[in-house]
Amino acid sequence: MANNLESKIEHLYQINTSFFQYMRHLVEETLKTQPYHLTPTKFYILNYIASGTKYMVADISNKLHLTSGATTSLLNQLEEESLIKRVRDKKTGESCGFH
């Protein structure tokens, strides 16, 4: 019985892996047709920001399983490409969100 359960779990894992590989492929193909030089990771960051939720760098890092340094670098690139704008705290000047 345990062996059958392990087999089913392995099969679900394979389906899950295939699904995410296919989704990544679709995103990559879609991005090729866009005028921006977006990677799938930048696309996902823009998706999170566009959802309207106020995200901090740590939130985005956690969602995408990236280091805060990698996330900051990607956010800097998106800002340089004028695809996002950082919202800064008026008192401290620290980044407190994105548009």
Side-chain angles (χ1 to χ4, degrees):
M1 178 112 149
N3 197 18
N4 189 28
L5 179 60
E6 289 174 9
S7 175
K8 288 179 180 179
I9 290 172
E10 178 60 30
H11 183 68
L12 287 173
Y13 177 76
Q14 290 171 356
I15 291 170
N16 185 51
T17 300
S18 296
F19 172 76
F20 282 105
Q21 287 173 343
Y22 183 68
M23 285 294 297
R24 183 175 179 92
H25 171 74
L26 287 176
V27 168
E28 288 172 345
E29 290 302 309
T30 301
L31 293 176
K32 286 180 185 176
T33 66
Q34 303 303 311
Y36 309 104
H37 301 315
L38 290 178
T39 63
T41 306
K42 287 181 182 179
F43 171 78
Y44 291 125
I45 289 172
L46 288 174
N47 236 4
Y48 289 133
I49 293 170
S51 73
T53 304
K54 193 173 182 180
Y55 285 107
M56 303 294 286
V57 172
D59 300 322
I60 296 169
S61 297
N62 290 334
K63 285 197 172 284
L64 296 177
H65 306 287
L66 298 171
T67 65
S68 61
T71 303
T72 297
S73 177
L74 290 165
L75 290 167
N76 288 342
Q77 292 171 28
L78 289 168
E79 190 171 30
E80 288 169 7
E81 296 165 3
S82 298
L83 295 173
I84 64 169
K85 182 179 178 188
R86 289 179 201 262
V87 177
R88 302 221 177 256
D89 184 281
K90 291 179 181 178
K91 291 181 182 178
T92 65
E94 293 180 3
S95 178
C96 63
F98 307 92
H99 288 275

